[in-house]
Amino acid sequence: MDSMLIRFVTRNFRFYLEGLETALSASIISLLFALIIGLVVGIIRYSHKGILGTIAKIYVSAIRNTPLLVQLYFVFFGLPRLGIVLSAFQTGVIGLSFNSGAYIAEMVKAGFQAIPRGQIEAAESIGLSVHQRFRLILIPQAALQIVPAVGGQMVQLIKDTCLLSLLAITEITKAATEVGNKTYMFLQAFLFAGIIYLIVNMLLNIAIDLFERKINYAR
Amino acid sequence: MNDFLSTSLQILKPLLLHGFPNTFLLSVVPLFFSLILGIIGGVLGNSKISVLRVIAKIYVYLFRNIPFLIFVYVAYYGFPYLGVNIPPLTTAVVALAINHGSYMTEIMRGGLNTIRREQIEASASIGLNIFQQYSLVIIPQTIMEVAPSIVGQTILLVKDTSIISVIGISELTRIGRQITMLTNSPFLVFFYVAVFYYVLCFLFQMLSNWSEAKVKKYIG
Amino acid sequence: MNVIQADDVKKYFSHAGYGDEKVKAVDNVSLTVEDGEVVVICGPSGSGKSTFLRCINRIEDHIDHGDILFCDKSIYEIKRTELRKEIGMVFQSYNLFHHLTILDNVILGLVHVLKMNRKEAIDEAMVLLERVGVHDKAKNYPRELSGGQQQRVAICRSLAMKPKLILFDEPTSALDPEMIKEVLDVMRQLAQSGMTMIIVTHEIGFAKEVADRIIFFSDGKIIEQGTPLEIINSPKEKRTENFFRHVIHE
């Protein structure tokens, strides 16, 4: 039994490795886009400006109250209809970006809201413009709370890449499916995939903890 | 316009009649079992015996770091491997319950921590044994206190039901996909699917807010 | 036979930050309480009186030395749930179960520990609630009652178990002044009906009136004990005299 497992791993590892590569690149690219989206939407949500604020609110609400899979299908099947033809990978990244973007937007908003009113009043009283207030006071202070939360979203994003397998993208889970189809050892294939996710996220968690500790030390 | 209406009706009928009720049931039944797991896990997680605490911690850690879909596959292929032959629906309910049991564990663990020592002492002082203390005082109080969080958690459950569409369970997402192959408007189909999910999540959010107000009124 | 007999009880707490040094919360306490006696324990804060009281019904379940006997049997040889059927406790912050109605609070012990049937339990509970004057609040939740009312319900909760002895841990210390009287009245009635009571309190006036014996605690030790007249008017120890002189304003 044990030697069978070892053979299983050594023969099929390269599939998983390719899948891991795809999953990681999808996560990182999506995270970058999500950060941009999240920052913009989050700041809009925080300053509640009229129509823009309402659109932002609807966007976030729609994402948070519907499943990621449905959002992915929406983009995957819908975009070609609009004449936009992209690769599956690109479509997947778009879906993940908009999904994580909404959650990050809420974290950004919360981070800003956590800043005591006194800080803002002090900034106003020494004559800083809105732009300066944001750059010099609000963003640095909000970052302290936002960064750890975003770390958590990164872990979530790695888990989310799993759904890309249903869009025929060869990431970890799809690799497992293919290995399963090849060897008929489905259970082992998916267990191995689970272990990969676990290890990746464990490392990510450790990195986030170290980073958080560094931030708190600087406080 | 007529086209739009007729297509919409074509889409809405199966979603409303089969998708929505199935998704609703698939949310509520596992919720019940995940709560039970959460109570057990929460009690273990606060236990004085460190082995039990570790078990609870591992349980939570696993499901927090491994995607749910992987677990669905593992359950789907794992049960037959162990000689347990159950229909996919049962596998789905079990997978959902165990996965969300880990979230409930965290909620219950936090809630149990906040039960004041004095309530426990009072229940001991009238002669209740440990089991009675937990079942009559500690756990009811904890559930009332964390009820809003639990109901809020259900929203995640609702969204995860979409994932079990991969093992052939007929719920909103799967029916949605089937309809897109029949009609030619994926946008509309998934828009309506999204609306159904939104409504369901919204209902649970309202329920969560209501329970929070109710608890505040009676318990303070 | 004494209801309670404490022999040379010592209890230490190891104080974090003081290294190995242990704080003697209860230091060499020996006392007896007879059937029907009302014993009041007084003393400065931190003198160990509450800790000692909580040892009697094993809420504080560990002592480092000595023994406590209940009706000539060591409390550590009696099953805790059995012990607590006989010894009731009333807490400083009442500790009513806030998720249950007043009525349910009182019948909880009757139904689940004494295994009475619910209807009989309700009948008994209502009699008790009437006795202390809160029967009209039976269906309310603790949160809706005043502190004084809650404490009276707490007394009912203990009384319902028909104990041989009731322990009172500073029962009026958390109450607003205008509500102290109503609780003391109930306790006075209880004493007159022959209940054995051990009361930790700062209410010296009450003690003077109701106690058969006052015990003065300080630094975990019993400094002096005697009848109210003896202790308050002719204390033997300087510390006793100081304490009561500062506390009495009546």
Side-chain angles (χ1 to χ4, degrees):
Chain A
M1 182 58 176
D2 268 324
S3 64
M4 216 163 88
L5 279 172
I6 298 179
R7 251 189 307 151
F8 172 87
V9 171
T10 48
R11 272 197 200 156
N12 297 301
F13 195 65
R14 56 189 177 90
F15 290 114
Y16 285 106
L17 210 55
E18 282 174 31
L20 182 59
E21 211 188 300
T22 312
L24 285 175
S25 53
S27 314
I28 295 174
I29 300 175
S30 301
L31 184 68
L32 288 170
F33 281 128
L35 276 171
I36 299 173
I37 298 175
L39 265 167
V40 170
V41 176
I43 292 180
I44 295 177
R45 290 274 282 140
Y46 173 64
S47 340
H48 13 241
K49 288 185 185 127
I51 293 200
L52 224 51
T54 316
I55 296 178
K57 195 167 174 194
I58 294 177
Y59 160 60
V60 170
S61 185
I63 297 279
R64 280 167 53 134
N65 287 303
T66 55
L68 173 58
L69 187 55
V70 173
Q71 294 163 20
L72 286 175
Y73 282 148
F74 190 73
V75 174
F76 190 70
F77 291 112
L79 282 186
R81 282 306 151 130
L82 293 176
I84 305 176
V85 181
L86 297 168
S87 76
F89 183 83
Q90 290 164 329
T91 321
V93 166
I94 292 178
L96 287 178
S97 304
F98 275 102
N99 182 281
S100 286
Y103 287 102
I104 293 183
E106 285 303 284
M107 293 169 191
V108 167
K109 184 180 93 143
F112 281 123
Q113 283 176 333
I115 301 175
R117 184 111 193 89
Q119 299 280 304
I120 304 172
E121 287 171 1
E124 283 174 13
S125 70
I126 57 175
L128 293 177
S129 73
V130 177
H131 170 89
Q132 284 171 322
R133 285 205 297 271
F134 260 101
R135 194 164 59 89
L136 299 169
I137 312 289
L138 291 178
I139 291 185
Q141 292 208 8
L144 287 171
Q145 182 165 332
I146 297 174
V147 171
V150 169
Q153 188 61 31
M154 273 166 68
V155 173
Q156 181 63 42
L157 203 44
I158 300 217
K159 285 165 46 179
D160 287 343
T161 59
C162 172
L163 292 185
L164 295 181
S165 67
L166 301 176
L167 303 182
I169 299 172
T170 311
E171 42 64 70
I172 303 171
T173 311
K174 188 93 172 93
T177 317
E178 284 170 6
V179 169
N181 280 322
K182 203 176 71 131
T183 65
Y184 291 108
M185 293 166 76
F186 281 104
L187 179 61
Q188 293 84 337
F190 285 117
L191 278 173
F192 193 68
I195 294 176
I196 295 182
Y197 281 111
L198 187 61
I199 296 178
V200 171
N201 278 329
M202 263 167 131
L203 293 170
L204 191 54
N205 278 321
I206 295 176
I208 295 173
D209 275 336
L210 285 171
F211 192 65
E212 266 178 58
R213 236 172 278 174
K214 208 167 146 213
I215 297 185
N216 282 326
Y217 187 75
R219 271 208 228 181
Chain B
M1 187 56 183
N2 269 330
D3 246 357
F4 173 76
L5 279 177
S6 68
T7 322
S8 292
L9 269 160
Q10 209 187 350
I11 300 172
L12 284 173
K13 211 169 105 184
L15 286 181
L16 188 58
L17 292 177
H18 297 292
F20 189 76
N22 285 353
T23 295
F24 180 77
L25 284 172
L26 278 167
S27 309
V28 169
V29 175
L31 172 67
F32 175 70
F33 289 110
S34 69
L35 243 181
I36 297 180
L37 276 172
I39 293 176
I40 300 175
V43 171
L44 288 182
N46 271 334
S47 164
K48 295 194 193 89
I49 308 172
S50 50
V51 177
L52 296 178
R53 281 204 308 270
V54 167
I55 294 178
K57 269 212 182 102
I58 293 180
Y59 174 45
V60 171
Y61 195 77
L62 278 178
F63 288 95
R64 193 173 266 188
N65 288 298
I66 303 181
F68 178 54
L69 179 56
I70 293 283
F71 188 61
V72 170
Y73 283 135
V74 166
Y76 185 69
Y77 291 108
F79 279 127
Y81 188 81
L82 293 172
V84 179
N85 280 314
I86 52 180
L89 189 60
T90 316
T91 313
V93 170
V94 169
L96 282 167
I98 297 183
N99 185 296
H100 283 263
S102 73
Y103 299 134
M104 294 300 178
T105 296
E106 274 305 278
I107 294 177
M108 288 299 292
R109 211 173 55 82
L112 281 167
N113 254 334
T114 66
I115 298 294
R116 289 172 308 144
R117 194 181 47 123
E118 300 149 331
Q119 290 282 303
I120 304 176
E121 282 177 3
S123 61
S125 73
I126 57 173
L128 296 173
N129 63 41
I130 295 279
F131 180 71
Q132 289 170 324
Q133 289 173 34
Y134 269 95
S135 59
L136 297 170
V137 179
I138 300 175
I139 292 191
Q141 287 190 0
T142 309
I143 291 186
M144 282 185 211
E145 174 122 2
V146 302
S149 304
I150 290 180
V151 179
Q153 185 66 31
T154 313
I155 296 177
L156 291 182
L157 227 178
V158 168
K159 293 195 282 183
D160 275 346
T161 60
S162 66
I163 295 181
I164 60 176
S165 58
V166 307
I167 54 175
I169 310 287
S170 194
E171 42 68 67
L172 276 171
T173 309
R174 183 166 176 83
I175 293 180
R177 281 212 61 185
Q178 288 167 336
I179 301 177
T180 48
M181 295 190 236
L182 297 173
T183 68
N184 237 343
S185 26
F187 256 138
L188 207 52
V189 173
F190 285 115
F191 176 75
Y192 284 131
V193 168
V195 167
F196 275 109
Y197 277 112
Y198 192 91
V199 166
L200 198 49
C201 292
F202 189 77
L203 284 174
F204 279 115
Q205 183 63 51
M206 291 291 109
L207 195 60
S208 170
N209 294 342
W210 173 85
S211 67
E212 194 167 358
K214 233 11 191 342
V215 168
K216 264 214 183 88
K217 183 173 164 213
Y218 283 116
I219 318 276
Chain C
M1 175 182 77
N2 290 320
V3 173
I4 289 289
Q5 182 176 324
D7 292 326
D8 206 17
V9 175
K10 292 193 191 142
K11 186 172 168 67
Y12 306 130
F13 285 131
S14 45
H15 198 150
Y18 281 170
D20 278 333
E21 194 182 305
K22 291 197 177 157
V23 176
K24 290 205 184 92
V26 178
D27 191 8
N28 225 301
V29 169
S30 298
L31 57 81
T32 59
V33 177
E34 288 168 36
D35 197 12
E37 255 198 300
V38 174
V39 173
V40 169
I41 303 182
C42 304
S45 305
S47 54
K49 37 191 213 300
S50 279
T51 311
F52 175 70
L53 193 76
R54 289 152 59 92
C55 288
I56 297 178
N57 69 343
R58 295 181 64 182
I59 292 289
E60 296 283 353
D61 203 10
H62 171 76
I63 55 176
D64 293 289
H65 181 84
D67 201 0
I68 301 179
L69 305 176
F70 175 70
C71 299
D72 288 345
K73 199 153 173 225
S74 167
I75 61 176
Y76 300 100
E77 281 165 29
I78 307 174
K79 206 164 153 213
R80 273 181 300 189
T81 48
E82 290 301 313
L83 184 70
R84 288 156 186 170
K85 286 184 198 171
E86 308 281 345
I87 305 181
M89 180 167 245
V90 175
F91 298 84
Q92 182 175 341
S93 22
Y94 356 117
N95 293 345
L96 292 181
F97 303 124
H98 55 245
H99 65 301
L100 300 173
T101 61
I102 298 300
L103 186 61
D104 284 331
N105 258 278
V106 179
I107 67 175
L108 187 68
L110 292 175
V111 170
H112 292 276
V113 182
L114 298 182
K115 312 285 187 205
M116 283 177 85
N117 87 47
R118 204 181 149 83
K119 178 142 192 338
E120 283 174 27
I122 294 181
D123 290 337
E124 275 199 36
M126 288 305 287
V127 169
L128 283 171
L129 288 172
E130 230 182 292
R131 227 170 97 183
V132 304
V134 270
H135 54 282
D136 54 330
K137 300 273 186 193
K139 288 297 184 175
N140 291 76
Y141 283 88
R143 164 174 167 65
E144 298 165 307
L145 272 62
S146 73
Q149 289 170 320
Q150 288 189 53
Q151 193 63 299
R152 284 185 272 158
V153 173
I155 296 177
C156 285
R157 182 175 59 178
S158 297
L159 266 179
M161 305 294 289
K162 302 191 214 14
K164 242 183 136 30
L165 160 70
I166 300 188
L167 308 171
F168 291 82
D169 189 359
E170 300 205 36
T172 56
S173 299
L175 294 174
D176 289 333
E178 62 266 17
M179 291 190 268
I180 294 182
K181 179 179 180 312
E182 65 196 55
V183 174
L184 292 181
D185 283 342
V186 170
M187 289 168 68
R188 188 178 299 115
Q189 268 178 46
L190 207 51
Q192 282 161 359
S193 72
M195 172 67 71
T196 315
M197 300 158 74
I198 306 180
I199 309 172
V200 170
T201 185
H202 293 297
E203 296 288 328
I204 308 301
F206 174 79
K208 242 201 316 191
E209 218 194 297
V210 177
D212 294 312
R213 202 173 5 131
I214 297 183
I215 302 181
F216 176 63
F217 251 73
S218 180
D219 293 321
K221 293 189 177 60
I222 296 182
I223 306 297
E224 200 176 331
Q225 57 179 305
T227 67
L229 244 53
E230 288 168 8
I231 288 284
I232 298 174
N233 294 351
S234 26
K236 296 198 196 81
E237 301 285 332
K238 198 77 175 96
R239 260 193 286 186
T240 317
E241 194 187 333
N242 284 337
F243 178 79
F244 284 101
R245 190 165 24 141
H246 286 138
V247 170
I248 290 185
H249 298 294
E250 287 126 276

